[in-house]
Amino acid sequence: MTVIPELIEGFMNESIIGRAQKKGIAEIHIHNLRDYSTDRHRKVDDYPFGGFAGMVMKCQPIDDCIAALKAERDYDEIIFTTPDGQQFDQPMANELSLKKNIIILCGHYKGVDYRIREHLITKEVSIGDFVLTGGELAAACMTDAIVRVLPGAIGDEQSALSDSFQDNLLAAPVYTRPADYKGWQVPDILLSGHEAKIKDWELQQAIERTQRLRPDLLKK
Ligand code: ADE
């Protein structure tokens, strides 16, 4: 649910997310909140009580849109994207990928009337400690991360499981041909054909890179 569907339409219909939909692995519908506004100018925002600066998303279009969606399906989560939400991460992506139906409400302007958050939203999610102009990019990031772990969404099912963060380790480096590019060499071990030694190298690299770049992950 968004006030600027154009921001995410292209993204949702391209690449892995687009292909997952064509394969029937995921189904994504973008709802324009203006279509649900009863205002004759299709207004979705208004001035905040208390004389604060900025505009606030009104209850009515959001409430009516959610009601219309709930009339068609049951929803496991109604998520609001907001910088003060719970930090999105790989475990949350995995968990959400197991749900059947999810609504994501993209925040905009100064925020959304707090009563929506109190009465309708089941989960508030942030994609990081920075402020975006709107929740659309956050919704796109979350959708991407959720859909790509669905079985069949990416070619090699193994590869979603071996991603960085799936085991709280960063991924090992990868290389492709040629083995020597301008004198830049691929590690010999990868050319050795010793499967067990290569697996061992991969794990050592993952541990070393995590220690060096993200020691906080090792504590998890
Ligand atoms: N909306 C604005 N900033 C955001 C963030 N960091 N995460 C989620 N939604 C947002």
Side-chain angles (χ1 to χ4, degrees), residues 7-202:
L7 269 180
I8 37 179
E9 266 158 7
F11 176 83
M12 297 296 187
N13 293 316
E14 293 298 326
S15 188
I16 287 172
I17 306 302
R19 226 174 309 136
Q21 290 189 80
K22 285 184 198 103
K23 286 199 239 170
I25 292 167
E27 202 181 310
I28 299 168
H29 300 278
I30 300 172
H31 300 275
N32 187 344
L33 282 168
R34 285 183 208 288
D35 295 342
Y36 294 86
S37 173
T38 53
D39 180 90
R40 64 193 164 97
H41 302 295
R42 307 215 304 156
K43 247 170 72 124
V44 287
D45 61 335
D46 209 335
Y47 295 99
F49 282 120
F52 301 111
M55 301 294 273
V56 175
M57 287 169 74
K58 290 158 65 72
C59 286
Q60 179 274 315
I62 297 170
D63 184 30
D64 284 1
C65 184
I66 290 175
L69 299 185
K70 277 184 173 172
E72 288 176 15
R73 297 178 166 87
D74 289 330
Y75 283 90
D76 302 300
E77 293 285 7
I78 303 178
I79 297 170
F80 177 55
T81 59
T82 174
D84 56 12
Q86 184 189 343
Q87 168 80 54
F88 187 68
D89 57 9
Q90 191 62 51
M92 199 196 289
N94 297 347
E95 194 187 306
L96 290 173
S97 78
L98 301 173
K99 311 272 185 190
K100 194 160 163 57
N101 297 309
I102 298 171
I103 293 174
I104 304 180
L105 168 63
C106 302
H108 237 275
Y109 310 107
K110 194 169 189 274
V112 51
D113 189 308
Y114 203 76
R115 291 167 290 185
I116 291 291
R117 296 170 68 166
E118 286 175 317
H119 297 286
L120 295 174
I121 297 298
T122 62
K123 197 176 186 71
E124 302 191 326
V125 181
S126 165
I127 61 159
D129 286 344
F130 44 85
V131 181
L132 300 164
T133 53
E136 285 75 13
L137 286 177
C141 287
M142 293 170 60
T143 305
D144 190 286
I146 293 166
V147 170
R148 74 184 288 287
V149 293
L150 293 174
I154 51 180
D156 174 6
E157 249 188 67
Q158 259 323 101
S159 71
L161 296 175
S162 62
D163 283 338
S164 285
F165 300 114
Q166 280 298 13
D167 44 14
N168 282 320
L169 288 175
L170 302 184
V174 292
Y175 303 86
T176 188
R177 288 180 294 183
D180 180 335
Y181 177 73
K182 298 201 294 191
W184 304 343
Q185 303 283 347
V186 168
D188 286 338
I189 181 76
L190 294 179
L191 310 174
S192 70
H194 287 298
E195 223 173 277
K197 282 189 188 165
I198 290 173
K199 276 263 158 272
D200 200 45
W201 174 88
E202 188 186 20

Side-chain angles (χ1 to χ4, degrees), residues 164 170-173 204-214:
S164 285
L170 302 184
Q204 290 313 314
Q205 287 288 319
I207 293 170
E208 187 280 319
R209 296 189 75 239
T210 311
Q211 251 157 5
R212 181 161 48 87
L213 302 169
R214 291 292 307 275

